[in-house]
């Protein structure tokens, strides 16, 4: 389920000069915020949790997921170069799985690593805050990548829809409407962080068993359906 050539082409597309510059902006901003907060406030577990939860997990991770997930396949479909890839003797699910692995790796690298560094800057991992949010970022990266890869497969406006989900549904409705939080990848990841944190500074509105089930189901279904849509695209092209 992994094709090195497809992976290499996908990495090259995601880490091109312009896209890589965009990917670096948010992690750099998080580290700047962490240094400033530490200098102004000092060591405070609750402040560290607020910064990592409010910016890293709620904003940075989903936005990087949008860039990596949609960018792994969307541009190829838009410019028609996907036809060249589909003409090769590579199974369609293998293409999707390979691109998903690349998207997950890029999202994790540009979100989880900066989250851990920022957490160490803020409070030196007091109360396991840095570790908790790093693991939450890793888990969220998987689900976000799968969902946004699916969007890149089914829509030419995947970036717009991804931003609507990340910024409107999760950030806006998730903070105002309690019921919406149950359908939030952010809250599912937070449930893991809550379990790891030791001082009660991290809370989630979704129970851990429910969160784990939803993460697995959403990731699996998104990956499967993306493979089905890519197969349909091939059939349409053959016709």
């Amino acid at each position: 389920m992994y094709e090195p050539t497809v992976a290499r082409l996908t990495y090259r597309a995601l880490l091109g000069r312009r896209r890589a510059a965009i990917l670096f902006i948010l992690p750099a901003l998080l580290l700047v915020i962490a240094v400033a907060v530490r200098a102004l406030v000092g060591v405070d577990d609750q402040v560290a949790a607020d910064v990592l939860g409010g910016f890293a997990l709620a904003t940075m991770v989903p936005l990087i997921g949008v860039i990596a997930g949609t960018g792994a396949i969307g541009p190829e479909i838009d410019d028609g170069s996907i036809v060249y890839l589909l003409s090769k003797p590579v199974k369609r699910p293998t293409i999707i799985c390979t691109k998903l692995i690349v998207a997950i790796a890029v999202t994790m690298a540009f979100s989880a690593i900066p989250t851990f560094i920022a957490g160490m800057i803020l409070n030196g991992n007091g109360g396991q805050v840095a570790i908790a949010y790093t693991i939450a970022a890793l888990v969220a990266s998987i689900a976000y990548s799968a969902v946004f890869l699916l969007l890149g497969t089914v829509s030419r406006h995947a970036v717009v829809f991804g931003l609507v989900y990340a910024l409107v549904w999760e950030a806006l409705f998730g903070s105002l409407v309690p019921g919406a939080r149950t359908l939030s990848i952010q809250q599912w990841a937070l449930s893991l962080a809550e379990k790891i944190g030791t001082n009660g500074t991290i809370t989630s509105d979704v129970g851990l068993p429910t969160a784990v089930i939803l993460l697995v189901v959403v990731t699996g279904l998104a990956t499967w359906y993306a493979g089905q849509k890519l197969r349909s695209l091939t059939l349409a092209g053959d016709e």
Side-chain angles (χ1 to χ4, degrees):
M1 301 302 289
Y2 183 83
E3 171 55 47
T5 301
V6 175
R8 185 173 64 254
L9 294 173
T10 307
Y11 274 118
R12 185 180 302 172
L14 288 179
L15 300 178
R17 185 176 303 175
R18 184 175 61 180
R19 197 176 295 273
I22 297 174
L23 287 171
F24 274 108
I25 290 175
L26 288 171
L29 181 57
L30 173 63
L31 296 180
V32 170
I33 292 172
V35 171
V37 170
R38 175 63 184 268
L40 294 173
V41 179
V43 177
D44 187 306
D45 292 351
Q46 186 59 60
V47 171
D50 291 342
V51 172
L52 295 180
F55 184 81
L57 192 61
T59 301
M60 184 182 72
V61 180
L63 289 181
I64 291 176
V66 169
I67 296 170
T70 61
I73 196 170
E76 291 177 301
I77 294 178
D78 291 342
D79 62 21
S81 61
I82 191 70
V83 175
Y84 172 80
L85 182 59
L86 296 179
S87 67
K88 301 300 180 181
V90 181
K91 294 181 179 179
R92 306 307 175 252
T94 299
I95 294 175
I96 289 296
C97 287
T98 301
K99 287 183 174 294
L100 176 60
I101 290 170
V102 173
I104 290 172
V106 170
T107 305
M108 285 181 172
F110 282 90
S111 60
I113 295 174
T115 297
F116 177 75
I117 296 173
M120 296 302 293
I121 292 172
L122 286 164
N123 74 334
N125 195 38
Q128 296 293 309
V129 170
I131 293 295
Y133 276 104
T134 299
I135 292 177
L138 289 171
V139 171
S141 295
I142 299 173
Y144 281 128
S145 296
V147 170
F148 296 138
L149 179 67
L150 172 61
L151 287 178
T153 306
V154 302
S155 174
R156 291 181 178 272
H157 306 289
V159 174
V160 175
F161 291 132
L163 291 175
V164 168
Y165 175 80
L167 299 179
V168 178
W169 178 263
E170 292 210 336
L172 182 59
F173 284 95
S175 62
L176 298 177
V177 183
R181 298 170 189 167
T182 306
L183 301 178
S184 168
I185 294 174
Q186 175 193 341
Q187 289 296 324
W188 304 342
L190 268 178
S191 70
L192 295 173
E194 181 182 23
K195 187 70 174 180
I196 296 169
T198 59
N199 56 7
T201 58
I202 306 172
T203 59
S204 173
D205 293 324
V206 181
L208 183 59
T210 301
V212 171
I213 292 172
L214 289 173
L215 283 167
V216 172
V217 170
V218 167
T219 301
L221 285 178
T223 304
W224 172 80
Y225 192 60
Q228 296 302 307
K229 294 300 293 183
L230 192 61
R231 182 178 289 113
S232 299
L233 178 64
T234 305
L235 293 173
D238 291 340
E239 291 173 0

